[in-house]
Amino acid sequence: MPFGPWSYADVEEMMKEMEKSFMDMKDFAKQVPKELVREKRGKDGSVTREIGPIVYGYSMTVGPDGKPVIREFGNVRRGPNAGGKQALSETREPLVDVVDGEKEVRVIAELPGAKKEDIEVDAEGKNLTISAETPARKYRKELELPSPVELDGSRSSFNNGILEVTFPKGKGRPSGVRIKVD
């Protein structure tokens, strides 16, 4: 095994559950928020319903303990809040990676279609919230930072849909602060 002695049974099970949910379109169609449904009328008077966009993905990395870390993103939700099934939302969870370095914590988020002025980054305690709203898309991600950070000396950049926020490590605990995206 190139990454360790574990199996990918959890990932395979997750994919089977997703496939089963998507195959049962009657139940799935009932969960679709009205903001994701469009109707088109044909020249012959027929009506076609389009649902979407539906975005689901995951990234898998190896954690510091050598075990896989799976992060889901998109607007398909799983878990207890969805009743154990998939649920669809108009708000997408962006793909986010957190890099806990020796002297700093870097947060990298993919927000395709967003502009710098659409993005809000809020810090409260060790919690960080990234959100963006455009006419076509909504993004929101709440996460807990792995280490205490300082806001003084933090920096951010946004280029080609990629947001990067870097915090120096410290003993501070940001409190209710909005970070300006450069």
Side-chain angles (χ1 to χ4, degrees):
M1 300 290 279
F3 299 109
W6 58 84
S7 73
Y8 294 101
D10 291 337
V11 175
E12 289 176 23
E13 183 63 28
M14 176 179 65
M15 295 306 290
K16 285 179 186 176
E17 288 176 23
M18 287 280 302
E19 186 176 311
K20 183 179 178 230
S21 292
F22 281 118
M23 295 303 280
D24 189 2
M25 290 307 286
K26 289 180 183 178
D27 284 343
F28 184 73
K30 292 176 187 174
Q31 300 176 32
V32 177
K34 62 184 171 194
E35 294 85 359
L36 296 179
V37 178
R38 293 173 304 287
E39 289 187 354
K40 290 186 176 182
R41 296 202 181 275
K43 292 179 183 177
D44 62 354
S46 63
V47 176
T48 304
R49 292 181 67 193
E50 291 182 353
I51 298 173
I54 298 172
V55 179
Y56 177 79
Y58 65 91
S59 70
M60 188 166 58
T61 57
V62 177
D65 57 359
K67 295 183 179 178
V69 176
I70 299 170
R71 292 183 189 94
E72 296 176 300
F73 62 93
N75 61 352
V76 178
R77 303 280 182 261
R78 296 172 22 109
N81 294 340
K85 295 183 178 182
Q86 275 72 335
L88 190 59
S89 168
E90 71 173 305
T91 303
R92 298 182 197 180
E93 186 171 310
L95 175 60
V96 174
D97 197 13
V98 178
V99 180
D100 190 11
E102 261 185 60
K103 296 183 179 183
E104 62 187 21
V105 175
R106 265 187 332 148
V107 179
I108 304 160
E110 293 185 16
L111 303 163
K115 295 178 185 166
K116 174 172 76 170
E117 52 273 5
D118 301 328
I119 302 170
E120 293 182 357
V121 180
D122 296 310
E124 175 102 30
K126 282 180 65 178
N127 297 317
L128 188 70
T129 302
I130 299 169
S131 59
E133 188 168 336
T134 72
R137 300 179 175 116
K138 294 180 184 178
Y139 294 100
R140 183 170 178 83
K141 175 72 175 178
E142 297 177 16
L143 57 111
E144 185 175 338
L145 298 173
S147 303
V149 296
E150 296 290 339
L151 287 177
D152 291 338
S154 66
R155 58 192 188 282
S156 67
S157 65
F158 184 72
N159 191 18
N160 292 329
I162 306 295
L163 171 68
E164 185 171 334
V165 183
T166 304
F167 299 97
K169 283 190 172 181
K171 297 181 174 121
R173 297 185 72 80
S175 179
V177 176
R178 177 156 292 152
I179 297 162
K180 184 178 184 309
V181 177
D182 296 324

